[in-house]
Amino acid sequence: MKKRNIFQNQSQEILAIFEMAGNRSKVMCVPMDYAKKDHVVMFCNGNGKIIRKPFSVKNAPEGKNFLLDQVSKSCRRHGIKPEYVFYGGEDCGSYADNFTCDLKVISTLRLT
C-alpha cells in the first residue's frame, strides 16, 4: 500500500519561510482567533514555544497598528527577522476581512 502524505496541502510560502530562516526558533507564528470586536492573538516560534501569551487586539485600524508594533518589538527581543513572521487563523467571517487583508498587504510588502 502506498503511503499517503497527510500534509498534502502544506503552504509553500510557510515552508519557504522556515527554509530561509534556517532555524525554527528564528520563525514567529502569529495565530489569531477572529471576532467581531476583539481578536485574540498570541506569538510562538517555529518550535511551538510561546513567545507571548494570548492578548486582545481591536478589530480596527488601531488594533492592526498595535499588533504590528507588538510583532516588531517581539522580533527585536527574540532576534527574529520580520520576513520570518507569518500570520494565521481560521476562516473568518466578513467582519475580519479588512483586518486580515491589511495584514496580508503589509506582509507582502515586507517580503519584496
Side-chain angles (χ1 to χ4, degrees):
M1 176 176 201
K2 185 178 176 183
K3 285 188 175 182
R4 276 190 51 180
N5 184 346
I6 62 171
F7 302 109
Q8 293 175 7
N9 299 320
Q10 287 182 348
S11 168
Q12 298 305 306
E13 293 88 359
I14 293 174
L15 288 174
I17 289 172
F18 276 93
E19 287 176 12
M20 289 186 305
N23 183 341
R24 291 183 193 185
S25 65
K26 297 300 179 184
V27 174
M28 185 189 307
C29 174
V30 182
M32 294 182 272
D33 185 20
Y34 305 111
K36 289 182 182 178
K37 291 184 180 183
D38 295 324
H39 309 304
V40 177
V41 180
M42 67 182 282
F43 303 158
C44 58
N45 70 16
N47 293 317
K49 179 183 174 197
I50 295 174
I51 294 174
R52 177 151 182 199
K53 292 182 180 180
F55 62 99
S56 193
V57 175
K58 295 280 183 210
N59 184 15
E62 60 271 10
K64 177 200 61 164
N65 294 336
F66 172 73
L67 174 60
L68 293 173
D69 181 58
Q70 296 305 303
V71 167
S72 179
K73 287 178 181 177
S74 287
C75 282
R76 284 193 304 273
R77 186 176 307 120
H78 295 281
I80 298 172
K81 293 182 179 179
E83 57 265 26
Y84 302 150
V85 176
F86 65 94
Y87 303 84
E90 81 280 9
D91 287 338
C92 61
S94 59
Y95 50 83
D97 283 345
N98 289 336
F99 191 89
T100 58
C101 286
D102 283 350
L103 284 177
K104 185 174 183 178
V105 168
I106 289 166
S107 297
T108 303
L109 291 174
R110 222 181 23 226
L111 294 174
T112 56

